[in-house]
Amino acid sequence: MAGRDLRALFSTNDRSVQAAEAFTNRSSQWETVAAALTEHLQHVGAPGFDPEDLEAPRNHVLVFHGVGGIGKTTLSRTLEAALADAGRRPSQWGAPGWPADRILPVRIDLARSAGTDFEQIVLTIRAALTRIGRPLPAFDLALRRYWEANHPGEPLEEYLRRAGLGSRFGQALPQQMQSALADVAQALMLPGTIGSVVGQVTGALIGALRERRQTVRALAGCARLADLLEAEPDLDTLAFYSHLLAWELARLPDGKKAVPVVLLDTFEDIGDRTRRDLERLIQRTVWLLPNAFWVITGRSRLQWADPALQGQLDYTGPAAWPGLAHTAVPAARTPTGVGTARQVLIGDFSPEDCDDYLARRLTRDGQPLIGENIRQVITARSHGLPLYLDLSVARFLELRRSGHTLQPGDFDHDFPALVSRTLSDLTPDERHVLRSVSLLDAFDVPLATRAAGLAHEGPAQRLTERPFVHDNPFGLWPFHLHGLIRSAVRNAEDTTDDRWTDADWQQAARRAFTTLGEQHQGAPGPDRLLLIACLRQGLRLARDHRLDLDWLTPAAWTYVSDSVWEPLAPPDTETEAGLGTAADALVELLSALARRQHEHRSRTAARLTTVIDSRLLPDDLQHMALYYRAKAHRDIGHSADSRRGYQQVVDGGGRLAPAARRGLAQAARLAGDFPTTYAAAQTLGWEGRHQRVLGDVWWVQGEPARAAAAYQAGRLEAEQHAKAGEAAHNQALRALAIAFYDPHQADDEIDLAEQLLAHLDLRATTINAAIAALIRDAGNPTLNDRVRALRTELDVAGLTSMAPTLELAAAFHQAVLEDHDGLSATISRLRELTQDGDYAYYIDIAHFMAGLPLPAEHTAPHWLDGEQVTRARWREIVTARRDLLRTRR
């Protein structure tokens, strides 16, 4: 469906521009309406349906709720048009299964700007029913009595004209009401002059009903008619008259039967949640008119099923409104319809819908006026909110009118109108909480309350019920703001009377930051999920608001100690402006450490150098940057730089000094000085990962079984200290060692390593497990393709230091197969990779495996048990694998 968009049409002198109101998608909402209305028609058409049953649960209300600007009013208007005229139904919507003449849609706008009161609601519904073409005597008589009592001397025709109901529905209502009055007077055989006076007629009718006269037997079927006519005809009683309307609709003859579909739009504007006067009258009308179908659209869920509202509204609780309760389930799971969810959150447009909407909104010669590159920016910024799309269209026309050359960057924009729309129906405390939680990625009610500095949780709890607050029940903090609303509240110009100053925002950020720290430090035990969540939010707050590091420092140490490396910082942390505060530096430090699993290690070293050179961090965090830069230098083969970095950390004597001493011991191992490494391992202890260092020494001596035992001890120590990353690292190395001498057991060890790595982001350790699988499969002719794939992966990751180990695995495979040409090529590659002296002993091991003599000019490493013993061990490992392969053939 598309009509003329007059606002856009009058925004340009270019008559070639076509401005259309594009209606996009919402097919699922139409399907929901069609299914619920079909169910309702079956219910009211069943023989057992009784409109006078005041106790039966009601399931004739369907609620669409969503954030302001999501398209609820557009949906309501489109539903009215589609129900009234099949020709106006959007092409995406399927045809319904009911006769069109049975449905009488009527839409009522409850927006404050429309000035709709309860009288007008009742009169609008009755005016719409004039299309049935006959009076509804019980209701019409009561309504006429009400009108003359409350509007003496004011003709109903004049009121209908002023309210626009005359032009909308015609002037049949006064005639039908007068006809009903005359029919009743005639049945009572009242004189003509008396029969025209409603008071006289109702008095006589009440008497006749009480006396059960045959002359009024048609109306006597309505058991409560006399009581309603006797009641004081005030606004409260007017709401009860809908019972008479329900009774009249139920007794219409088959040829006249119709079901009203009443669409109440902008329900949030009927009043505040403290008094609910108008809402009480509307709810009573809905309850007492069960044969009508009601479609209510508003920003919030309808609370009628909440037992806490007992006393404020007439009919409350889940027993009364099963479909409106939070416990109601989707229709697909309740084929009988009982308890079917009748509250539907209207979701955001998909990116495809946004683009389609923008492409059809403004056109010239049938082609989109808004270019694709601009549409992409608007779509991305909109988060699927239709109001943002409309505001962007207006901005497009405004910039185009000024002669500005339109660029995609012109639409990376926040609109103040979004702020005012969002805040308009919130209490002052709720607005205060909203601004506070806009600083947070996610929150719960206690966190929101503390961030807002409030002493009571009520405003935060009420805010979570708003449609722009999304709920993830599985999240640590279950609530988060709609992305666009959060951006607008934080960044758009705020013109409201209670807008915050910069100092207000700073105080709120400090409160939120402090509360996050208290939650992290108050955890009863290690909680990795809470740590990561607090760090992610705390780092952003500290960076954006230039806060002191405070609790972030110990949290950062806890983060790195596990070697798990979950992503922490958002992509926008790497700014061209450089580092200006300690928080900037810490964000960059932790981001570099996490990203090193996905970046070339030279990039990691460069980022850490920037942090170190900024000198913004306290000494202990400065040593963290130095230590991990030394590791990165080791990985890319810069051994001298790596040793210098480790030595700086050792000299500093901080908490990473034991790890740095391990790094120096490993540097000695890489240089082939195994006795020095072995001696150092005896002094490292758990903090220096002594078992892992011992394992690294043992397997290159040709003693993989002793190495496997050391790695197992290291894994057990790591598990005792709850260090998942270290446990996985030891297990992957244990699998590598065992793969040399027991391929069958290696299967289980590799499986365990992969299990430990399943939820970790450790690229080097994952590659170690892959190398272990190569060694396990040595002798398989298809192994070469896997070796080439791993070479590529190491090159992309910048893990140069692991390449010699991969080549040694290839050499083992070639020695087992006695592939002399392949082994010669591998040894050549090892020479290229070990030119700086690190891992040069792998050349020796490759020769030992194949039983080849060493080159005369070769410099021998310092083996623990001498060259001959080590040569014999490696030769035996190769021979054992050949024997195993022969027995399998």
Side-chain angles (χ1 to χ4, degrees):
M1 174 186 301
R4 301 293 283 174
D5 179 2
L6 297 181
R7 190 174 305 167
L9 192 66
F10 281 84
S11 296
T12 177
N13 290 330
D14 188 347
R15 296 189 179 184
S16 65
V17 173
Q18 299 296 310
E21 286 186 339
F23 182 78
T24 301
N25 205 344
R26 299 306 186 197
S27 297
S28 63
Q29 282 78 26
W30 168 250
E31 291 170 2
T32 301
V33 171
L37 182 52
T38 299
E39 179 186 317
H40 177 72
L41 291 171
Q42 293 170 350
H43 174 65
V44 299
F49 174 72
D50 180 6
E52 295 188 275
D53 184 348
L54 304 182
E55 298 178 358
R58 299 303 199 247
N59 205 35
H60 64 313
V61 178
L62 181 61
V63 180
F64 290 108
H65 61 102
V67 65
I70 199 67
K72 301 180 296 295
T73 294
T74 302
L75 174 64
S76 180
R77 288 173 176 162
T78 309
L79 286 172
E80 180 191 31
L83 292 170
D85 180 359
R88 298 173 65 191
R89 188 174 63 242
S91 58
Q92 310 100 311
W93 291 6
W98 57 76
D101 57 356
R102 285 200 63 192
I103 304 299
L104 286 179
V106 52
R107 180 177 171 275
I108 302 173
D109 188 357
L110 300 177
R112 292 188 184 95
S113 57
T116 305
D117 57 20
F118 184 64
E119 279 187 354
Q120 190 170 344
I121 293 172
V122 173
L123 287 170
T124 301
I125 295 172
R126 178 59 187 93
L129 293 175
T130 58
R131 286 174 285 184
I132 295 173
R134 58 181 289 163
L136 303 172
F139 178 82
D140 290 348
L141 190 62
L143 180 60
R144 179 67 177 265
R145 178 168 179 263
Y146 169 85
W147 188 260
E148 294 199 359
N150 291 275
H151 298 268
E154 180 181 3
L156 181 59
E157 294 88 339
E158 179 61 22
Y159 180 90
L160 295 175
R161 185 190 62 78
R162 289 201 315 270
L165 298 178
S167 58
R168 184 176 174 188
F169 301 109
Q171 289 291 343
L173 178 57
Q175 286 82 7
Q176 289 185 7
M177 291 173 66
Q178 185 60 41
S179 175
L181 182 65
D183 290 344
V184 172
Q186 183 178 359
L188 293 169
M189 294 181 291
L190 296 175
T193 55
I194 297 177
S196 62
V197 179
V198 69
Q200 297 285 348
V201 175
T202 55
L205 177 59
I206 292 169
L209 290 170
R210 297 296 189 200
E211 296 169 6
R212 295 193 174 96
R213 296 181 198 167
Q214 286 297 313
T215 54
V216 292
R217 63 180 179 274
L219 293 177
C222 184
R224 298 176 180 87
L225 176 57
D227 296 309
L228 288 172
L229 292 177
E230 283 182 326
E232 181 68 25
D234 55 18
L235 203 61
D236 204 51
T237 304
L238 179 62
F240 286 107
Y241 290 171
S242 55
H243 174 73
L244 305 177
L245 195 57
W247 181 78
E248 289 284 7
L249 288 173
R251 73 188 190 107
L252 289 172
D254 289 341
K256 293 289 186 178
K257 284 191 178 298
V259 174
V261 177
V262 185
L263 302 107
L264 300 179
D265 189 30
T266 325
F267 200 79
E268 70 272 11
D269 274 7
I270 64 171
D272 60 53
R273 295 188 176 191
T274 57
R275 296 190 59 189
R276 300 182 182 268
D277 293 338
L278 178 55
E279 184 177 4
R280 184 176 64 254
L281 298 174
I282 293 175
Q283 193 216 43
R284 184 183 301 158
T285 301
V286 173
W287 182 270
L288 297 176
L289 192 51
N291 33 8
F293 185 72
W294 302 78
V295 180
I296 297 176
T297 47
R299 294 191 182 183
S300 303
R301 291 177 59 93
L302 208 57
Q303 296 180 303
W304 295 353
D306 186 352
L309 294 184
Q310 187 174 14
Q312 296 185 62
L313 300 175
D314 293 351
Y315 309 94
T316 58
W321 307 96
L324 303 183
H326 283 277
T327 55
V329 296
R333 293 166 53 190
T334 56
T336 62
V338 178
T340 301
R342 288 286 191 255
Q343 306 236 43
V344 180
L345 177 65
I346 299 184
D348 302 322
F349 279 176
S350 68
E352 294 78 13
D353 287 340
C354 289
D355 187 75
D356 178 67
Y357 181 92
L358 293 169
R360 293 191 292 119
R361 195 73 155 74
L362 297 175
T363 59
R364 174 192 282 155
D365 299 328
Q367 297 299 313
L369 187 62
I370 304 176
E372 182 178 2
N373 56 347
I374 293 177
R375 296 202 307 271
Q376 289 175 350
V377 172
I378 296 174
T379 295
R381 289 285 284 115
S382 73
H383 292 265
L385 189 68
L387 176 59
Y388 187 91
L389 303 180
D390 287 338
L391 293 171
S392 296
V393 169
R395 179 173 175 80
F396 178 91
L397 291 171
E398 179 184 352
L399 293 175
R400 184 173 179 269
R401 188 168 59 245
S402 68
H404 178 78
T405 301
L406 297 170
Q407 300 293 333
D410 295 329
F411 297 88
D412 187 8
H413 185 72
D414 289 297
F415 294 100
L418 289 171
V419 179
S420 59
R421 286 283 296 269
T422 303
L423 299 179
S424 61
D425 62 336
L426 300 182
T427 67
D429 278 351
E430 289 169 355
R431 292 198 293 269
H432 186 74
V433 175
L434 173 63
R435 291 187 174 100
S436 299
V437 298
S438 71
L439 296 165
L440 298 168
D441 300 324
F443 60 93
D444 57 14
V445 171
L447 177 56
T449 302
R450 293 288 305 280
L454 298 179
H456 49 287
E457 294 185 347
Q461 181 62 53
R462 292 194 299 273
L463 188 74
T464 62
E465 299 168 3
R466 300 288 180 166
F468 52 77
V469 177
H470 294 177
D471 183 9
N472 174 16
F474 303 106
L476 178 64
W477 296 299
F479 303 111
H480 63 277
L481 292 181
H482 185 283
L484 181 60
I485 300 302
R486 183 186 181 197
S487 174
V489 172
R490 286 287 294 114
N491 303 317
E493 182 181 358
D494 189 347
T495 59
T496 57
D497 292 338
D498 61 347
R499 58 186 175 275
W500 277 8
T501 65
D502 290 343
D504 292 330
W505 284 109
Q506 188 70 15
Q507 290 172 8
R510 192 173 291 109
R511 287 193 302 266
F513 179 78
T514 300
T515 304
L516 289 168
E518 291 171 351
Q519 289 201 9
H520 161 60
Q521 294 168 334
D527 189 333
R528 187 76 183 179
L529 181 64
L530 179 62
L531 168 71
I532 299 305
C534 288
L535 270 175
R536 284 174 178 160
Q537 301 219 67
L539 286 168
R540 183 190 291 273
L541 286 168
R543 180 199 65 185
D544 293 349
H545 299 275
R546 307 178 74 85
L547 304 177
D548 294 335
L549 295 183
D550 193 49
W551 60 269
L552 288 176
T553 297
W557 281 109
T558 304
Y559 170 73
V560 301
S561 67
D562 282 352
S563 300
V564 178
W565 313 118
E566 302 94 332
L568 286 179
D572 60 352
T573 55
E574 299 180 55
T575 61
E576 296 181 0
L579 308 178
T581 67
D584 290 337
L586 182 58
V587 168
E588 177 64 5
L589 167 60
L590 297 182
S591 174
L593 297 185
R595 285 294 304 164
R596 71 195 179 114
Q597 306 300 327
H598 307 279
E599 292 179 336
H600 197 283
R601 293 299 165 94
S602 61
R603 172 65 178 148
T604 303
R607 292 180 67 179
L608 293 175
T609 297
T610 300
V611 172
I612 293 165
D613 291 347
S614 73
R615 300 192 178 278
L616 291 168
L617 293 173
D619 288 345
D620 58 341
L621 293 177
Q622 187 80 350
H623 288 159
M624 182 191 292
L626 285 167
Y627 172 76
Y628 282 100
R629 184 179 66 173
K631 290 190 70 171
H633 279 148
R634 179 204 66 192
D635 290 338
I636 59 179
H638 295 178
S639 301
D641 291 335
S642 176
R643 284 191 288 271
R644 279 193 295 272
Y646 285 138
Q647 191 62 56
Q648 282 182 275
V649 178
V650 170
D651 293 342
R655 67 176 77 192
L656 282 175
R661 282 194 288 272
R662 178 183 76 243
L664 291 173
Q666 295 285 37
R669 174 179 64 84
L670 299 183
D673 187 357
F674 301 117
T676 297
T677 304
Y678 181 78
Q682 313 306 313
T683 67
L684 290 176
W686 153 249
E687 292 295 335
R689 309 300 192 256
H690 60 132
Q691 296 290 358
R692 176 148 58 90
V693 175
L694 286 171
D696 291 345
V697 170
W698 285 126
W699 78 262
V700 295
Q701 310 302 312
E703 295 198 76
R706 293 184 70 177
Y711 289 135
Q712 183 178 38
R715 190 197 75 211
L716 294 174
E717 281 187 338
E719 290 172 347
Q720 290 169 2
H721 289 84
K723 303 299 182 186
E726 180 64 19
H729 194 40
N730 274 280
Q731 180 57 34
L733 291 171
R734 173 176 165 81
L736 185 149
I738 290 175
F740 278 113
Y741 67 89
D742 192 340
H744 179 71
Q745 183 184 348
D747 283 339
D748 296 334
E749 302 297 338
I750 292 169
D751 286 346
L752 178 56
E754 290 173 347
Q755 290 176 29
L756 296 177
L757 284 165
H759 302 292
L760 304 177
D761 193 4
L762 298 172
R763 194 169 191 178
T765 305
T766 301
I767 293 176
N768 271 333
I771 294 175
L774 290 178
I775 296 170
R776 175 198 62 194
D777 298 336
N780 186 328
T782 64
L783 211 63
N784 292 333
D785 289 342
R786 287 160 59 189
V787 172
R788 282 191 289 270
L790 276 176
R791 284 188 188 125
T792 301
E793 187 172 352
L794 289 173
D795 185 55
V796 170
L799 292 170
T800 307
S801 64
M802 297 187 70
T805 305
L806 173 61
E807 297 303 332
L808 186 64
F812 179 60
H813 167 65
Q814 291 150 356
V816 169
L817 291 178
E818 297 183 277
D819 179 3
H820 300 297
D821 292 340
L823 182 61
S824 176
T826 297
I827 291 174
S828 296
R829 280 192 295 273
L830 279 171
R831 285 199 179 94
E832 292 178 12
L833 291 169
T834 61
Q835 288 179 10
D836 62 353
D838 285 353
Y839 292 107
Y841 53 85
Y842 278 179
I843 298 174
D844 299 63
I845 294 174
H847 284 81
F848 296 166
M849 288 174 173
L852 298 174
L854 291 169
E857 73 281 2
H858 185 71
T859 302
H862 302 290
W863 301 107
L864 290 180
D865 297 317
E867 179 182 315
Q868 292 307 314
V869 173
T870 307
R871 173 187 284 272
R873 289 171 182 157
W874 278 112
R875 186 62 181 162
E876 173 59 27
I877 290 171
V878 171
T879 302
R881 178 61 62 89
R882 287 177 184 166
D883 292 343
L884 178 64
L885 291 175
R886 276 195 292 269
T887 62
R888 289 180 176 177
R889 294 192 183 115

